[in-house]
Structure formats: structure tokens, C-alpha cells
Amino acid sequence: MAPQSEEFLKAHFPLTFPVPTPATHPDLLTTNDLHREDDLLRNPTSFRSWWSAINTTREAFLSLQKTEPPPEQAEELSALLGPLAFPLARISLQRLTYLYEAALVQFPGSFKLWKSYLNLRMSFVLGKLIVKKRAGGKKKFPEMKDALEEEHDDLEEWEGGLDPVVGWEEWKSLVATFERALMWLPRLPRLWLMYLSIFFHPQCPPLLSHTHARHTFDRALRTLPPSLHSRIWVRYLLWAEKKGGATTVHVYRRYLAIDPSVTERFTAILLNPVNSNPRPLEAAKLLLSLARKASRGEYTSPEGKSPYQLLEDWIEVVEKFSDDVGLDVEETIESNEAIAAAEAGAAESAADGVPEPASVNGNLIRITGPPIPVTSDGQSTHPYDEDEDPISPRKLNVENIIHKNGLAIYKDQAGRLWTGLATYWIKRGEFDRAKETFENGLKSVLTIRDFTQIFDSYAEFGESLISAMMNSLENEDDDTEEEAAETERELDAKIAEFEDLTDRRPFLVNDVLIRRNPNDVQEWEKRVALWGEDDDKVAATYTKALETINPRKASANLHRLYVNFAKFYEEGGASGQAEEDLDSARKILEKATKVNFKLVEDLAEVWCEWSEMEIRHDNYDDAIRVMQRAAAIPKNIKVNYHDHTLSAQTRLFKSLKLWSFYVDLEESIGTVESTKNVYDKILELRIANAQIIVNYAAFLEENKYFEESFKIYERGVELFTFPISFEIWNIYLSKFVKRYGGAKLERARDLFEQALEKCPPKSCKALFLMYSKLEEDYGLAKRSMNILDRATKVVSDQDKFDMFTIYIAKATANYGLPATRPIYERALEVLPDRQTADMCLRFAAMERKLGEIDRARAIIAHASQFCDPRVNPDFWAHWHSFELDTGSEDTFKEMLRIKRSVQAQFNTEASYLAAETTAAKQGTRKAEEDDSQDAMAAAEKQAGGVKGFVAATTTRLPPVDGEEVQEDQSAPAANVDEIHISDDEEDI
């Protein structure tokens, strides 16, 4: 079929206007419809009759559409006419329209009828509706941000549709039908939403989808109650986004006046519009307003963004559209000056008088003065700011905004803010201003992270400039020599600046760390090291450090800064080329002695370093005088050394470090009397420790003051308690015995008794041995043995075995072996079980030497109760060899019986695990036991019973099928523990 002309296609329409009737369209009714018409005429007020007639006609159309094949028509015709491309569809639409219109005359307020009618008309004009699967019904309307996303996914879509040019009359008729329906049912949101869905159809005529659609949205908002406005606004905003341009902007501005939650979505639309140019200035002002409100707690981002993230979004807009958003350099300077002048004026006015309060207890009382903007709740709001007004064409002072709303609030993000500002100037081509911004950023940040971020951006900026200038030199073929030379000079200057920047990096890093903590002594010392041999800079750095650091807040080793500064002058500067200036060094140290350090030890070290400096230059008298000044004792010596509320100078006289250095100095270059005076002062102040006591006594001993040295030891043992006094007693007694030997034996005995009187058990072993040695060398052997006997009763449990061993050895040497029996017997009563076995073996060995085999056997049998055969195999091996050498068959059998008895006694889970661990460590286990063995079988095997086990021949179980029975013919010969029982004994 040939394509039809446009006039021919338009001739089919309108189909529904005016409303078709049997009078105007005779083919509307057939003979089959006469009964229906008669019924409707008799019952015009019966809704069921009308509804049945409509459904019957619709079902008949659907059945005919399925059964009758459509006529052959061109695809172009079907694309233009859509559902109305076939005559059957057109006549069916007219028949159904006739029925619906006739029914609506009777029931004009029926929502069910209107909705069915409108869906029918939409299906013939818009095409077939694509039904989308949904998760389920919505309980309540979500937030606008989520509602927009959900509605965008749920927008109606159609297949086909009537061409807007060919079917213009039918499109108009459909809209007119919606208008009539809304005239009767204006408060039903479903009809409005159905009406509005027409404007989203891709083939909706432009005369309907633009101005008429906007007016329809506005009428819906005016007609429906406010509680239903959100459902209209969702469609309104999506429609505006689809249209783009000024429509989007104006519709969103209207909505943002009542709900700013979609501002972030609006800014994204402004930066990436559909049918217009971007509006970066308006987007930047909206983002700035959101960032400020979020920082004040007046706005919460639906995207979950923090106030800083909103400000970062604003910075990204400023960087991308720098020329459209911000002021240039001259305008920025003028704006900064105006802002500074306004702030100064406000500060002066605030200083002149206190402004009148705006309210008392929440009630406004001001009746004069400038107006104060308030919200609907009566709360005061921030005054109008042109920087937040998206309608205002004035550009932004980006520099002031970043300083005021960024750096002043988000100090931990200074690196990103400074680089953003510098990038803004770079995008505008203001390279000098960008460089100044980078430098200001490097001089103000407080963290290494921010510094690294700014420095890397700064270096990248310098590299890009150098690269661009080098490329321009390569491509400047037509330039004159003067221009090329000028470019080369600029390039050399930029390279020099870049190298200077890289050279300054260590100093800049050090500046950051010092700004973060001006009281960090280590960073000041690093600063000094960075200057190397530049004496002027080093001296200036030391001076600035000492002026800046607060001694009470300084980090460790503040005193080293003073000491190193003094050494700087003492050694002739950092390079050592200048003359030594001891006077300046003394002035610095003198100043240091007046500083209230946190620790007294720091102040003491300053005095000591001053004295050492004098010694290094052979000023020995000055060194002594310095220490005399430092160690001057005040009248009130009842000062708590650990009271940090007092100054370090007040507590200095109790510093042991200071007195130790002073006494060492006196020992080196002073006299004996002066040294003794210093030691005596230390003892009077009661700050001496054990080392001071020992040093004082050793000093007196070197100078032949033996008795005085012993007195110092005695003072020391009175000052200190155990365990500290033990070391003093140990040295004192050894020195005394070495000095006098047996000349003053009674005095030595008194000293030993005095030392042992308060000595704890864990420390008295050495003193008892020394005491016993004294009696053995210079006294009586009997007294020596008595002392050892006392020691075995007094010393701690871990030392008793050693003490009994020494006691037995001495008794053997002095009285012979038989005299040791009572000692052994008492040892067995006193020692713990784990040491009793070893002592019993020694006791048995002694008895064996004396020929007392039975006594030895009894002793070993006594010790066996403490020795698990699996844990102590050495003990049982010793007994085994003992019986082989000295025993008989009966004694051997008794040994085996005892062994089994003891093993059964120790046959517990903990003991078994201990035995397994010990056997694994010693490598005594040759193979793993069978899992089917019981505990007693395992014990028998561990004890060695398997080797001597004789299998039963009459009572044993028959072997299992396939199991090999092996007779161990060599078992009797290999079993050394086998017990041979005669037949006579069996009869018994």
C-alpha cells in the first residue's frame, strides 16, 4: 500500500470531538446493540448497567483485535497513527467514547468512571503503557531527594503513540477531556497525576508540553491541599529538569524557597544543564550558603556530606569556573580593604557601648533600630548576605571566603584550602598571586600533612611554569632576539626560584613543627643544625628559641639548649673559626641558672656543665666557686624535693646529682677535709644513697682513715634497710675482716650478729658463709659448724639445699662421714619433696661407703615415694644399678614391686602428661603407644614391663582372622627384670 499524504491522515481526526453519537455516526450501533440501548434507556440511573455495557463493548473490541488479522499497512503509517492506525481501533474508540460520555452525563462525579475513561483515551493516544515491576506499596512519602530518584525510575513509559502533528486534534481532545474531569473532581490527586503524566510523553506536542504543562502544574499546586503538594512537586521538578534552561532554574528556585533539601541536586543541574549553558556563579553561591548553614548546624545534607565536604564542593566549582565565579586581583584587594574597614568600624562601635538586646525571655522588645530578620518561629536569622544570594550577579571574593569560612574553621584541612585558593589564582592566570598564596600557606600550616600537600602543589606549579616556558622557547620561531632573551631570563629566574624552594624545604618543615609546638626543644636544635656553620643565624636561632620557649611547657632537655648555646661561644662558633668568648658563655649559663625548669635535675646539670666548662679552661677555683654557689644550703632545709609547686632553684640543694658532681670535683682537685665536709653535708641533708656511702667509705680508706670509713658504713646500715643495707653490710664485713682478721674477733662477731639480726632469709646466705669462714679461719671449728647449722634453719627454701650441702661437706671434713647422719636426717625432714630425692641419693651413697647397705637401701626406698618412674627415670636407674651391685633376688623383686606401686600412685592425668613431656624432651620415647591401650597398660609399658612380660598360653584369646601371631622367643633372655618362681613356690 502506498504511503498516504498528511492531509489524508489528518482527515481521520478528530475521532472523539465532537462526541460521536448514532445521529452523527450511524455505524456506532449495530443490531446487536439495540437491546443494550433499550436497557440503558429504561435504566439510565443504573451504574451497573452502564458499567456492564462499557466492559462488554471493550471486551468485544479486544476479542476482535485478537481474532481478526490487521490489514497490511506501511510501517510509517503505523508509526504515525500508533494505536489508531487500524479502522477497528478507530471505530472502537468512537463507540467506547459514546458510551463513556453518555454514562458521565448520568454520573459526572464518579471517579471510577472518569479514571477508566481517561485510561482508555490515553491508551489510544499515548500508546501501550509499559508496566514496571515494583517492590511493594509505599507506606509514606520519602524525602524529596529519594522521592526524585524513585519517581524518575517509576515514570510512565509507552510503546507507540499518536504523532503530534497528524493527531493534534486528538491530543487536544484528550487534554480537554482531562480538563472536564478536573472540573468535576478537582481535589483528587490521582487525576492530576494522570494528567501530568501526559507531558512526559516523548511525542507530546510542544504546545502542550511547555507553557500549558507549566500552567497545569501551577493549577495543581493551587488546587490540591498542601499535604499533597509533595507528590506534585516531584513530577514538577522532574519535568523542569527534562526541559532545562530557564524553566529548570525558575521551578527549582520556587521549590527551594520552601524546601532547601534538594539544593545539592540543583547545583549539579546548574553545572551540567540539559539545554543551556552552565550557571557556575549561582551554583557556587548556593553551595556556599549550604556550607555556612551546615557549619552553624542549620542544615543537614541529604547526601550525608559534612560541612567541610560542602565547602570542598564549592572550592571545586571555584577552581573549575574561576573566571565566572570570583573577582580578579584588583577587585579582591579592594574588597578585602572594604571588609577590613567594615570590621574595624564594627569593633569600634562594639567597644563604645553594649548593644540593646533584641529580646527578653524570647519576646521581642526592640521598637527602634534596623530590622532583624526572623524565621516563622520567631527566631532571629543571619542578615542578608549578597554572597549567598543566587540571583545577585555580583561575583565572590574567593580569598576572603576561604580565609573566613575555611581556614578559620577547618584548621585540620588547611592544606586543601590553601591549594584550592592557589589553584583558583592559577586558573585565572594570576601566577604572582598564586605564588604569594603558596608562600602564605607554607608559613601558616601546622601539620606535616598540610605542608606536604601545599609544597607538592607549589613544586608542581613551578615545574609546569618552567616546562611551559621551555616549550615556548622551542616554538618561538618568529620572535625577535630581544623577546627570546627576555624569555630566557625569565626562565632562569623561575629555575632559580624552584631550586631555592627545594633548598628551603628542610627549613620550611622545621618551621611547621615549631609552629605546631613552639616549646619543642628538639625541633629548635634541628633548626640550629640546619644553619650549619652560619654563626649569625645559629646565634639568632638560639636567642629566638630561648625567648620563645616556656620552661614549664617545654619538652625534654631544655637545659641542653642553654648548654649548647654556651658551648657555641666557648668553642668559637659553629665553625670554630671565631675567638672563644667565655664571658658570653658564662652570661648564658648564669641566665640558665635562673630559669624555672620542670625538673631539678635539669637545673643541676646546668650548674655541672658550667663547672666543667671552667675545668676545661683550667679555672679550677672558679669551678669550685660555681659548685659552692649551686650547693648553698638555705636556712630552711625542710623542703620536699618532690613538691613541684616550688621552683627548681628552691629544691636544688637536695639534688643528689649536683652533690655527686660536687663531691667528685672535691675528690679530684680539693683537699681531704673539703671532701669530707661535702660528704658530711650530703649525709646531713639525708639525700645520700648506698653508692654515696660506699664512695665515702672508700675515699676514707684510700686516705688511711680506716676507723672513720667503718663509721660511715655503720651510718649507712642505719640509714638504709634491707635489701639495700645488705650490700653495705657485705662490703663492710669483708673490709673489716680483711683489715683486722682475727685481731678483733669479738667485734667482728658482734657485727655479724648485728647484720644477721634484721637480714631477711633470702639475703642471709652470703653473710652466714662469710661468718662461718671467719670462725673457721680465726675462731673455733665448733662455732663455725654451729653457724652453718643456724643457716640451714634460717635461709630461704631455695637456698636450703645448697646450705645443707656445704654443711655436710664441712662436717665431713671436720668430723668424718658418720657425723653427717643427723645432718642428712634433718635435711630429709626440712627439704621439699623435689629436693629430697637428690639428698637421699647422697645419703645412700654415704651409707654405702660406710658399708651400711641395708640403711642405704632403706633410704632409697624412702626417696622412691617422691619419684615418678616416668618423670625421674635417672633415680630408678640408679636404684636398679644399686640392686645389681649389692642386692639379691628378694631385694630386686621388692624394688620392682615398689616401682609398680609408685607408678600406680602417680598414674593421674596431670602426671601422665608431665611424663610424656619429659620423655619427649629427653628422647626416651622410641615409638607411639597404641591408642587402644588403657592407662594401666601404658604404665606397664612405660615402666619397662613389656620387655619382661610373659604372654599367657592357656587363657589368652584366639587370634583374629588375618592377624599374625608372633612368638617372642628371645623375650626371657632379654628381660632383665623377670622374676623366676619355682614350682614349689607356686604350690605354696
Side-chain angles (χ1 to χ4, degrees):
M1 181 178 178
Q4 306 294 332
S5 63
E6 181 179 345
E7 291 76 11
F8 176 78
L9 296 177
K10 286 184 178 180
H12 293 298
F13 305 102
L15 296 173
T16 57
F17 183 80
V19 177
T21 62
T24 58
H25 296 75
D27 56 347
L28 285 181
L29 296 178
T30 63
T31 56
N32 297 328
D33 299 331
L34 295 178
H35 179 70
R36 180 199 67 193
E37 291 294 323
D38 183 59
D39 183 48
L40 292 176
L41 288 174
R42 286 197 303 267
N43 301 300
T45 58
S46 174
F47 183 82
R48 179 177 298 179
S49 299
W50 286 103
W51 191 251
S52 299
I54 292 171
N55 287 334
T56 302
T57 305
R58 178 181 294 179
E59 290 174 0
F61 163 66
L62 294 176
S63 61
L64 288 175
Q65 191 177 21
K66 294 178 181 179
T67 56
E68 295 184 4
E72 296 181 358
Q73 296 187 9
E75 294 182 0
E76 297 179 359
L77 182 61
S78 299
L80 291 174
L81 299 182
L84 298 176
F86 310 115
L88 177 61
R90 291 194 290 270
I91 190 62
S92 298
L93 173 61
Q94 290 178 334
R95 290 174 179 174
L96 288 170
T97 302
Y98 160 68
L99 287 175
Y100 272 113
E101 292 290 349
L104 288 172
V105 171
Q106 301 296 328
F107 308 100
S110 173
F111 169 72
K112 182 178 181 180
L113 200 56
W114 275 114
K115 182 182 178 183
S116 178
Y117 182 31
L118 294 174
N119 283 328
L120 172 72
R121 295 287 299 272
M122 290 173 65
S123 66
F124 280 99
V125 177
L126 304 182
K128 182 181 179 181
L129 180 65
I130 300 175
V131 180
K132 299 180 180 180
K133 295 181 179 180
R134 297 184 179 181
K138 301 175 183 178
K139 294 184 178 180
K140 65 176 183 178
F141 193 79
E143 297 292 334
M144 183 56 68
K145 167 186 168 296
D146 300 329
L148 286 171
E149 296 176 357
E150 294 177 4
E151 193 68 23
H152 182 272
D153 297 335
D154 295 341
L155 282 177
E156 295 86 351
E157 296 180 5
W158 296 269
E159 290 182 358
L162 185 60
D163 184 78
V165 177
V166 175
W168 164 243
E169 294 296 334
E170 200 60 37
W171 279 94
K172 271 200 314 183
S173 177
L174 175 62
V175 170
T177 305
F178 267 107
E179 294 290 345
R180 285 192 296 118
L182 292 174
M183 181 183 66
W184 288 102
L185 303 171
R187 298 286 181 174
L188 295 180
R190 173 51 55 189
L191 294 182
W192 283 105
L193 293 175
M194 291 172 60
Y195 189 10
L196 298 176
S197 66
I198 297 176
F199 307 129
F200 290 90
H201 196 282
Q203 293 184 346
C204 184
L207 291 177
L208 299 178
S209 63
H210 288 81
T211 304
H212 177 77
R214 180 166 52 82
H215 290 167
T216 304
F217 277 113
D218 293 340
R219 283 193 297 120
L221 292 174
R222 289 195 298 268
T223 305
L224 294 175
S227 61
L228 299 175
H229 281 188
S230 56
R231 300 183 180 275
I232 304 300
W233 272 116
V234 172
R235 293 294 184 105
Y236 203 175
L237 295 177
L238 291 177
W239 173 82
E241 292 178 10
K242 182 180 177 181
K243 297 305 174 184
T247 302
T248 304
V249 175
H250 289 291
V251 171
Y252 261 97
R253 283 178 181 173
R254 287 176 56 191
Y255 183 74
L256 291 180
I258 58 174
D259 182 14
S261 63
V262 294
T263 307
E264 297 176 45
R265 184 185 180 96
F266 182 38
T267 56
I269 295 173
L270 291 176
L271 297 175
N272 300 286
V274 178
N275 298 321
S276 63
N277 296 325
R279 295 171 176 254
L281 180 59
E282 184 174 352
K285 289 188 175 183
L286 289 172
L287 286 173
L288 178 61
S289 175
L290 293 182
R292 289 177 174 176
K293 290 179 180 178
S295 65
R296 297 193 298 262
E298 300 174 2
Y299 173 77
T300 301
S301 171
E303 302 285 346
K305 294 182 179 180
S306 64
Y308 168 73
Q309 288 175 324
L310 293 172
L311 184 65
E312 190 174 16
D313 293 342
W314 174 81
I315 293 175
E316 292 176 357
V317 175
V318 169
E319 292 176 347
K320 187 175 181 180
F321 304 95
S322 56
D323 294 331
D324 299 327
V325 174
L327 305 174
D328 58 15
V329 177
E330 292 77 9
E331 294 172 342
T332 299
I333 294 174
E334 293 177 1
S335 177
N336 290 339
E337 292 175 353
I339 293 172
E343 291 177 352
E348 292 178 0
S349 62
D352 294 340
V354 180
E356 181 183 0
S359 62
V360 174
N361 297 328
N363 299 320
L364 297 178
I365 62 172
R366 176 174 292 184
I367 58 175
T368 60
I372 298 176
V374 296
T375 62
S376 59
D377 301 331
Q379 302 294 329
S380 61
T381 62
H382 288 268
Y384 171 77
D385 190 349
E386 196 170 357
D387 290 343
E388 300 179 11
D389 186 2
I391 304 177
S392 173
R394 192 186 76 174
K395 294 184 178 181
L396 301 175
N397 185 347
V398 176
E399 192 171 82
N400 178 68
I401 292 172
I402 288 182
H403 280 86
K404 181 180 179 181
N405 300 112
L407 296 171
I409 300 175
Y410 310 107
K411 300 182 184 298
D412 57 334
Q413 300 294 337
R416 174 67 182 94
L417 297 173
W418 281 110
T419 53
L421 180 57
T423 304
Y424 163 74
W425 290 119
I426 293 172
K427 291 292 184 66
R428 293 189 64 94
E430 303 290 348
F431 297 143
D432 293 338
R433 192 73 172 182
K435 179 182 176 182
E436 181 182 351
T437 302
F438 277 125
E439 291 291 342
N440 292 335
L442 293 176
K443 294 177 182 177
S444 62
V445 294
L446 300 176
T447 62
I448 295 297
R449 185 195 64 177
D450 294 336
F451 169 81
T452 303
Q453 192 172 3
I454 297 175
F455 186 87
D456 292 344
S457 299
Y458 195 3
E460 184 179 356
F461 165 63
E463 290 177 355
S464 62
L465 276 182
I466 294 172
S467 177
M469 296 180 72
M470 293 178 68
N471 292 334
S472 64
L473 281 176
E474 294 177 357
N475 299 328
E476 287 179 353
D477 299 334
D478 300 333
D479 294 344
T480 62
E481 295 182 357
E482 294 181 358
E483 293 178 351
E486 179 66 23
T487 304
E488 290 181 358
R489 285 194 293 271
E490 292 180 1
L491 178 60
D492 293 340
K494 294 297 181 184
I495 293 175
E497 290 177 0
F498 184 76
E499 292 176 351
D500 178 67
L501 176 64
T502 55
D503 294 339
R504 287 190 297 129
R505 191 181 193 285
F507 293 91
L508 295 172
V509 172
N510 185 258
D511 285 339
V512 172
L513 297 175
I514 290 177
R515 278 196 302 273
R516 184 178 64 182
N517 183 10
N519 301 309
D520 193 340
V521 177
Q522 287 71 26
E523 293 303 326
W524 283 107
E525 291 179 346
K526 292 178 183 177
R527 183 74 170 186
V528 171
L530 287 174
W531 289 117
E533 297 182 354
D534 191 343
D535 293 345
D536 294 337
K537 294 291 186 181
V538 170
T541 302
Y542 272 123
T543 303
K544 185 178 179 181
L546 298 180
E547 292 175 353
T548 305
I549 295 175
N550 184 351
R552 303 303 295 178
K553 297 180 180 179
S555 60
N557 298 326
L558 173 61
H559 63 286
R560 297 305 309 172
L561 207 59
Y562 285 95
V563 172
N564 293 335
F565 194 13
K567 286 184 178 180
F568 170 77
Y569 284 107
E570 178 190 356
E571 296 172 356
S575 59
Q577 303 296 327
E579 295 182 0
E580 298 179 356
D581 190 355
L582 290 181
D583 293 335
S584 298
R586 292 189 183 101
K587 290 179 181 178
I588 294 169
L589 292 173
E590 180 70 31
K591 182 179 179 180
T593 59
K594 299 177 182 179
V595 175
N596 185 17
F597 295 100
K598 289 194 294 185
L599 301 177
V600 180
E601 301 302 321
D602 295 345
L603 180 59
E605 189 166 347
V606 171
W607 284 105
C608 296
E609 290 287 346
W610 190 354
S611 180
E612 286 185 355
M613 183 188 72
E614 300 293 349
I615 294 173
R616 285 194 294 270
H617 294 83
D618 300 332
N619 298 326
Y620 301 114
D621 294 338
D622 292 339
I624 293 294
R625 280 193 290 271
V626 168
M627 296 310 299
Q628 287 175 349
R629 284 182 55 195
I633 301 176
K635 294 181 179 179
N636 181 19
I637 63 173
K638 295 182 179 180
V639 175
N640 186 1
Y641 179 77
H642 300 286
D643 187 1
H644 294 283
T645 58
L646 302 175
S647 64
Q649 286 77 9
T650 305
R651 297 175 287 153
L652 178 63
F653 72 96
K654 283 196 173 184
S655 172
L656 183 59
K657 183 176 184 179
L658 180 72
W659 285 102
S660 298
F661 182 85
Y662 187 13
V663 77
D664 290 342
L665 184 63
E666 288 289 353
E667 287 187 20
S668 302
I669 60 177
T671 62
V672 176
E673 292 301 324
S674 62
T675 305
K676 289 172 61 178
N677 291 334
V678 175
Y679 272 119
D680 291 338
K681 290 180 180 179
I682 295 174
L683 296 176
E684 290 175 4
L685 293 173
R686 302 182 69 83
I687 60 174
N689 56 15
Q691 189 62 47
I692 293 293
I693 299 296
V694 173
N695 293 343
Y696 190 8
F699 171 75
L700 294 174
E701 184 180 357
E702 289 176 1
N703 291 277
K704 309 304 180 183
Y705 293 92
F706 297 105
E707 284 298 328
E708 292 188 17
S709 70
F710 295 149
K711 291 180 181 179
I712 298 302
Y713 282 125
E714 291 178 359
R715 292 181 64 179
V717 296
E718 291 177 359
L719 289 174
F720 301 102
T721 59
F722 285 93
I724 297 175
S725 62
F726 169 75
E727 301 296 337
I728 301 176
W729 275 116
N730 200 4
I731 298 172
Y732 180 21
L733 294 173
S734 61
K735 294 285 187 182
F736 189 87
V737 172
K738 181 180 179 181
R739 170 68 181 168
Y740 294 111
K744 296 185 177 181
L745 187 57
E746 290 299 328
R747 182 179 173 185
R749 288 172 177 167
D750 292 340
L751 291 177
F752 274 108
E753 292 295 338
Q754 185 180 353
L756 291 171
E757 182 179 356
K758 297 180 180 180
C759 184
K762 63 180 180 179
S763 303
C764 62
K765 175 184 174 182
L767 297 180
F768 272 114
L769 293 177
M770 193 184 303
Y771 192 6
S772 175
K773 180 66 175 174
L774 173 68
E775 292 292 346
E776 184 179 355
D777 293 342
Y778 305 105
L780 300 175
K782 183 177 180 180
R783 292 182 64 88
S784 175
M785 298 305 294
N786 291 336
I787 292 170
L788 292 176
D789 185 65
R790 282 176 56 193
T792 58
K793 301 176 182 178
V794 176
V795 297
S796 60
D797 292 341
Q798 58 265 31
D799 294 332
K800 284 185 178 180
F801 185 84
D802 295 336
M803 189 57 66
F804 270 112
T805 303
I806 298 172
Y807 186 17
I808 291 170
K810 294 292 185 182
T812 303
N814 292 327
Y815 304 112
L817 288 175
T820 60
R821 282 176 178 163
I823 303 175
Y824 275 115
E825 291 174 357
R826 192 158 62 83
L828 297 182
E829 296 175 357
V830 174
L831 291 177
D833 293 346
R834 56 189 175 84
Q835 295 176 343
T836 301
D838 294 338
M839 188 59 70
C840 285
L841 291 178
R842 298 188 182 191
F843 192 7
M846 186 273 296
E847 294 291 352
R848 186 176 178 181
K849 289 180 182 179
L850 296 177
E852 298 290 344
I853 303 302
D854 293 337
R855 289 177 61 87
R857 183 176 290 108
I859 294 170
I860 295 175
H862 171 75
S864 64
Q865 60 181 320
F866 308 112
C867 300
D868 187 352
R870 292 165 297 186
V871 180
N872 300 302
D874 294 338
F875 173 82
W876 294 96
H878 179 82
W879 193 1
H880 185 274
S881 62
F882 174 79
E883 293 295 343
L884 290 178
D885 294 339
T886 62
S888 63
E889 180 181 353
D890 294 334
T891 59
F892 195 83
K893 288 192 295 183
E894 182 66 16
M895 183 268 292
L896 293 179
R897 186 191 64 79
I898 294 174
K899 183 177 182 180
R900 291 188 181 92
S901 175
V902 171
Q903 187 166 348
Q905 178 184 355
F906 281 98
N907 192 20
T908 59
E909 184 178 359
S911 177
Y912 182 73
L913 293 177
E916 293 293 312
T917 304
T918 305
K921 290 181 179 179
Q922 297 178 354
T924 56
R925 293 190 61 184
K926 303 299 182 182
E928 295 291 334
E929 288 85 4
D930 187 4
D931 293 339
S932 63
Q933 284 184 326
D934 58 3
M936 197 63 196
E940 292 285 348
K941 187 173 182 180
Q942 182 68 24
V946 174
K947 293 182 179 180
F949 178 71
V950 180
T953 58
T954 58
T955 60
R956 66 178 178 180
L957 296 174
V960 183
D961 295 340
E963 182 181 6
E964 296 182 0
V965 180
Q966 297 180 358
E967 297 291 340
D968 190 0
Q969 301 296 336
S970 60
N975 184 11
V976 297
D977 296 338
E978 181 182 359
I979 302 175
H980 298 281
I981 303 176
S982 64
D983 296 338
D984 298 336
E985 293 175 344
E986 289 179 357
D987 296 337
I988 296 175

